[in-house]
Amino acid sequence: MKIKYILTAVILGASISSCHDLSLEPKGMLGEKELFGNEFGVKKYLTGLYMYLPIEDFNYYARSGNSNETGYRAGNYWEAGKFSLGNMSGEFVNTWMKVNNDGFGYWPYDRIRDVNLFINNFPNYRDDFEEATYNSLLGEAHFIRAFLYFGLAKRYGGIPVITEVQDPLGDPEVLQVPRAKEYDTWKFIHDDLQFAIDNMKETSEAGRANKYVAAALMSRTMLYAGTIAKYTHYLGFEANQEAAQQGFAGIDPSKANEFFQYSYDAGKLIDNSGRYSLYTKNYPDKALNFANLFLDASSTENIFIKEFDKNAPNDTRLRHSYDAMMCPQPDMSRDVGAQSYPSLDLMRLYDFPDITDAEGKPIRFDRRGDIKNGMEPRMRGSMYFDGDELRGHTFSIQRGLYKTFPWAATYAGNGDNTAPANIDENRILGYQRGDTYNYNGAAIRVNGEHGLFESWGGENNPITGAFVRKYIDVNLPTNECGFYMSGQHWIVFRLGEIYLNMAEACYELGKKDEAFDYIEKIRERAGCKVTRPADDMSDLSAVYGYPIDANLQFIRDERYRELAFENHRWWDIRRWRVADRVLSNWIPRVLMCYYVLDEGKYIYLDEHERWNQSWTANKNCYYEGIPQGEINKNPNLLPKNPLR
């Protein structure tokens, strides 16, 4: 299904002279009966609410651009590529965004009021609808409300659960609704979604949710709740944090399987429907197939997409700038150029070729692009490497030259200038596009056409050695690849995620073989060398701070591989309660290519990102602070969340 926001102009009033009858209904005004008393009016009303669903897409900021913006409505939304969740979690690397432990004060109770108004008053018009239509529309409203509450719960834990339309001039004791326990908050989301699943139709027109979209949201939200219940107590907040002690931040671990079962059941409903299948349209080329999955709006894998339109009016958030912010300028982008690049840490989680031999020496390549020969197809479908083509140009990515390199790769250190291989002018780096070095009378190009340039910052300069491919619109000409000129859709839910949700829920419920069945489906489509992982019960508790075996970690890593750049990773490491370990003074690794002059060969080295930036998530990231302005209005929002 597609979300296509419909812009509706509503005439709010007309001029009135003193001699007119003021008891007349204002013309052009849509009242409740006009909206709720017919299907067209209801859909019009709900369309306005879809605009505010907390979907973290191309235009989403992981932090606000300034103090009066939120991540969903940022002003200069062309800059979203600089401040994405991918940059925060370390999937992308750039020079602008690292970890934001604090959030941006998401608090959509104005929209919750709007949906509550509909849910409360729509029953007054029940006789105006066929039963199935009435039930489905009411179910759709419950889906929207659940989605809004999900955006709150994953940030704050227990929050006020409000289901009635409050009178803003009413008794403060009524208006100051206290926080619900975190368990009750997630259970409320479950109940809303179960109502939606039970009442919505199986199909819907473009732009609307249906039974299976609600089930997809159930699959995701209940997996969140299950892991929060199982792993939060290992953080030790109950010892001295009042919100945890009172159940507002954390859930009794005994409730974890309840939520895992809800997630599993929702996934089964989708899988058994027979309506969706993993995308295989471009077989046998599995790299192209995976790349095209994100460009084909008719994909059999899509459960729910948010549709953009590059021809829509500007400042409507119906356009985005993803291509301009991910592709190098001037060859493949007309504005600014790439801002974010995939880390080598992520690359190494895929089937990745060796870059050193048994002695630790860099492997020699005849051409830079030969390194791609050993890469997993899914990885190549997610990232661009040297030798790949886009918009009539070939990627050329190189950092510099070595006069000679007879040593092990460790002699190059982490790429710093004081490493033994890099001193005495043995390493030559390029500072600008087109720099050359005179070697035996020949001018040798130092770096590639698309980087890396030592005198440049992170903008339009591939500081990790690769570019992002996932979601890039290959049919967009370079002269149309600019700010607010992209219109490819964003996939909100797809079957690949549902299979990964089910694999994780299965394993947590003790269904190991079934968990691996779902992983195998994903890995076979990905073109992995091994499609079904070996059973590995190795204890990784020393790494993560709680009991976890290598099987479960493999399932978690498979999420990272499959869902890279889809804005899942930050929330995953948060809900697993491992962000403060995974991103503890974490310095990203990068893949740097050099040409060895005395051999006429290329080598690849594993280095630190050249500014040695580090990412650090603190334990306070697991629960964002409820906005202080809201606490000032409602003291029942206390106690504050842990470490806040």
Side-chain angles (χ1 to χ4, degrees), residues 46-81:
L46 295 181
T47 293
L49 293 173
Y50 274 96
M51 289 183 64
Y52 292 92
L53 290 183
I55 296 170
E56 291 149 2
D57 54 43
F58 302 110
N59 293 328
Y60 175 77
Y61 273 57
R63 70 161 177 81
S64 59
N66 60 50
S67 60
N68 60 8
E69 293 177 344
T70 71
Y72 297 100
R73 308 296 295 176
N76 292 331
Y77 57 100
W78 69 268
E79 290 189 310

Side-chain angles (χ1 to χ4, degrees), residues 568-583:
H568 289 274
R569 179 64 175 174
W570 172 247
W571 298 110
D572 280 344
I573 60 177
R574 275 182 56 158
R575 68 181 175 86
W576 293 328
R577 303 320 198 202
V578 298
D580 65 305
R581 289 175 173 264
V582 173
L583 298 177

Side-chain angles (χ1 to χ4, degrees), residues 160-460:
V161 173
I162 300 174
T163 60
E164 301 296 326
V165 179
Q166 294 180 307
D167 178 1
L169 301 178
D171 187 340
E173 292 186 2
V174 176
L175 293 175
Q176 294 173 347
V177 179
R179 297 177 70 178
K181 307 290 188 184
E182 182 163 12
Y183 170 84
D184 294 328
T185 301
W186 289 103
K187 193 64 167 61
F188 173 75
I189 293 170
H190 166 272
D191 293 346
D192 254 1
L193 289 174
Q194 191 61 57
F195 183 93
I197 292 169
D198 291 342
N199 286 276
M200 293 181 76
K201 296 178 180 178
E202 294 188 352
T203 60
S204 57
E205 62 191 281
R208 317 218 74 86
N210 58 43
K211 174 192 293 284
Y212 300 110
V213 176
L217 183 56
M218 178 82 88
S219 169
R220 183 186 295 177
T221 58
M222 295 300 101
L223 186 65
Y224 274 54
T227 48
I228 288 167
K230 184 167 183 177
Y231 299 110
T232 299
H233 71 102
Y234 290 108
L235 299 174
F237 289 157
E238 296 92 337
N240 55 15
Q241 299 292 325
E242 190 177 354
Q245 293 168 349
Q246 295 186 30
F248 300 124
I251 303 171
D252 188 325
S254 67
K255 303 294 186 181
N257 282 1
E258 174 187 350
F259 291 114
F260 289 136
Q261 189 66 49
Y262 293 149
S263 178
Y264 173 82
D265 291 343
K268 272 295 188 184
L269 178 65
I270 294 169
D271 197 25
N272 290 341
S273 73
R275 294 179 177 273
Y276 310 98
S277 60
L278 293 180
Y279 188 75
T280 58
K281 187 175 181 178
N282 300 114
Y283 273 19
D285 189 336
K286 293 190 175 183
L288 178 65
N289 181 76
F290 194 73
N292 283 352
L293 157 62
F294 299 92
L295 302 175
D296 187 349
S298 65
S299 166
T300 57
E301 187 163 339
N302 292 341
I303 299 172
F304 199 35
I305 68 174
K306 176 177 177 180
E307 189 174 67
F308 289 82
D309 183 355
K310 63 183 179 182
N311 298 314
N314 202 3
D315 294 328
T316 59
R317 304 305 192 276
L318 294 180
R319 306 180 189 181
H320 59 87
S321 306
Y322 193 76
D323 294 284
M325 301 297 283
M326 291 297 175
C327 300
Q329 187 268 348
D331 288 345
M332 305 168 195
S333 167
R334 64 174 245 184
D335 289 332
V336 180
Q339 311 291 302
S340 302
Y341 314 91
S343 67
L344 178 58
D345 306 77
L346 170 59
M347 298 178 201
R348 286 191 177 280
L349 284 177
Y350 296 89
D351 293 342
F352 188 76
D354 291 331
I355 58 175
T356 57
D357 61 20
E359 296 179 349
K361 293 183 177 180
I363 291 174
R364 270 55 178 173
F365 295 91
D366 293 328
R367 292 169 296 275
R368 290 188 300 256
D370 288 348
I371 192 174
K372 297 180 297 183
N373 297 337
M375 289 181 181
E376 178 183 312
R378 175 174 53 181
M379 180 184 179
R380 292 198 57 193
S382 300
M383 309 172 203
Y384 282 121
F385 294 90
D386 203 292
D388 287 329
E389 296 182 0
L390 176 65
R391 302 191 180 110
H393 295 272
T394 301
F395 283 96
S396 174
I397 311 166
Q398 179 176 309
R399 185 175 188 188
L401 309 173
Y402 276 105
K403 293 178 181 177
T404 188
F405 203 104
W407 313 284
T410 54
Y411 272 64
N414 288 311
D416 58 275
N417 292 328
T418 60
N422 300 339
I423 60 176
D424 298 329
E425 300 182 349
N426 184 54
R427 183 175 71 162
I428 300 101
L429 301 177
Y431 286 82
Q432 299 286 344
R433 181 180 285 113
D435 281 358
T436 60
Y437 177 74
N438 190 302
Y439 181 71
N440 292 337
I444 306 295
R445 183 72 177 263
V446 178
N447 48 19
E449 186 66 23
H450 306 114
L452 180 89
F453 312 118
E454 294 298 313
S455 64
W456 293 14
E459 199 164 74
N460 203 30

Side-chain angles (χ1 to χ4, degrees), residues 90-132:
E91 294 173 278
F92 297 144
V93 179
N94 70 18
T95 58
W96 294 275
M97 181 67 180
K98 301 181 184 66
V99 173
N100 172 12
N101 289 292
D102 300 320
F104 51 81
Y106 181 65
W107 203 251
Y109 278 94
D110 50 350
R111 303 307 163 193
I112 290 173
R113 174 187 173 84
D114 292 340
V115 73
N116 282 339
L117 178 67
F118 177 80
I119 291 173
N120 289 180
N121 292 359
F122 188 48
N124 297 331
Y125 306 94
R126 183 166 193 158
D127 292 342
D128 296 331
F129 295 85
E130 294 181 356
E131 182 177 4

